[in-house]
Amino acid sequence: DAKTTQPPSMDCAEGRAANLPCNHSTISGNEYVYWYRQIHSQGPQYIIHGLKNNETNEMASLIITEDRKSSTLILPHATLRDTAVYYCIVRVGSQGNLIFGKGTKLSVKP
Amino acid sequence: GAVVSQHPSRVICKSGTSVKIECRSLDFQATTMFWYRQFPKQSLMLMATSNEGSKATYEQGVEKDKFLINHASLTLSTLTVTSAHPEDSSFYICSAPASRNQPQHFGDGTRLSIL
């Protein structure tokens, strides 16, 4: 049980902002929200993570709702190289491992 | 930032061969590393947790005698697929956290194809 719900796929026009939603209504108070992406035939790449506050780094912004039941990853100016599967993860296993769901396949189109 | 290196990136070999995959943390020490497996069009599934200086912890359904894990140092974990068969063909990925509360970083994966 990955504890997150994401749309299976999304399209975005090149140069536009890509907004990827994630529902995590059963998140616990001390669980972080992590976002990773996986480009075809590569290992997952860390993007950003947060607990309560919105976060921004050189790759993306993370907006977490006040009740923490959902979040949105924002890629401000999507490029073709941002085409990937994006995983929203809140659950950490007993060993400290990340538990992956099915993610959202983002296709950035010219 | 933290980097995890995985080698080789691709292996093609005959059925019955044993294959060793290496996972190295390049600029940090990792007492724990994770090995995942990913079949086509599926998500990553944890196979085992590699612990430096002690035995690995395997997930249910993963044969410890088939998937040998050695974590001999704080920067290296190896996964050996023994007597590999076509059904072991998959994408194997390792990861390691730089520290307890830091995000995990992943290797680039190893595409294993058994003929």
Side-chain angles (χ1 to χ4, degrees):
Chain A
D1 178 14
K3 291 183 62 175
T4 61
T5 303
Q6 298 178 254
S9 64
M10 290 182 63
D11 290 342
C12 179
E14 187 179 19
R16 296 283 196 156
N19 297 288
L20 292 90
C22 179
N23 286 325
H24 32 78
S25 58
T26 60
I27 192 171
S28 300
N30 60 351
E31 288 181 322
Y32 283 78
V33 180
Y34 299 92
W35 281 85
Y36 284 78
R37 72 181 182 184
Q38 187 176 25
I39 296 170
H40 184 62
S41 293
Q42 295 184 23
Q45 177 189 21
Y46 167 76
I47 301 173
I48 200 167
H49 75 290
L51 183 63
K52 294 181 181 178
N53 299 322
N54 298 336
E55 302 288 343
T56 295
N57 62 21
E58 65 278 5
M59 289 183 69
S61 294
L62 173 60
I63 308 298
I64 303 174
T65 58
E66 194 169 340
D67 61 8
R68 302 213 322 124
K69 292 185 176 182
S70 65
S71 61
T72 301
L73 178 75
I74 301 172
L75 307 178
H77 305 286
T79 70
L80 299 179
R81 286 182 292 182
D82 291 322
T83 292
V85 177
Y86 286 77
Y87 295 99
C88 167
I89 300 168
V90 302
R91 187 171 178 187
V92 176
S94 60
Q95 307 294 329
N97 56 292
L98 297 175
I99 298 177
F100 287 78
K102 296 182 179 180
T104 295
K105 184 174 183 180
L106 175 69
S107 299
V108 181
K109 300 181 183 298
Chain B
V3 177
V4 173
S5 174
Q6 190 172 341
H7 178 80
S9 59
R10 185 173 178 88
V11 180
I12 302 173
C13 57
K14 294 181 180 180
S15 184
T17 307
S18 291
V19 178
K20 179 186 283 188
I21 303 169
E22 294 186 346
C23 181
R24 295 181 185 273
S25 55
L26 295 186
D27 53 358
F28 65 99
Q29 294 182 331
T31 56
T32 300
M33 290 186 178
F34 301 105
W35 287 97
Y36 294 82
R37 180 167 53 182
Q38 185 177 31
F39 291 107
K41 298 188 185 301
Q42 296 187 22
S43 192
L44 283 76
M45 295 297 293
L46 181 70
M47 296 176 65
T49 302
S50 175
N51 303 298
E52 190 270 335
S54 63
K55 291 182 179 180
T57 304
Y58 290 83
E59 295 301 296
Q60 190 172 8
V62 177
E63 299 176 55
K64 63 179 182 181
D65 294 331
K66 181 168 185 63
F67 298 99
L68 302 179
I69 290 174
N70 187 294
H71 197 145
S73 76
L74 288 171
T75 59
L76 173 65
S77 175
T78 61
L79 169 68
T80 301
V81 184
T82 61
S83 188
H85 292 284
E87 58 266 28
D88 298 322
S89 297
S90 188
F91 193 50
Y92 293 85
I93 309 166
C94 69
S95 77
S99 64
R100 184 174 178 81
N101 293 318
Q102 290 299 309
Q104 291 180 31
H105 294 273
F106 289 78
D108 281 337
T110 297
R111 175 77 57 192
L112 177 62
S113 300
I114 308 299
L115 305 178

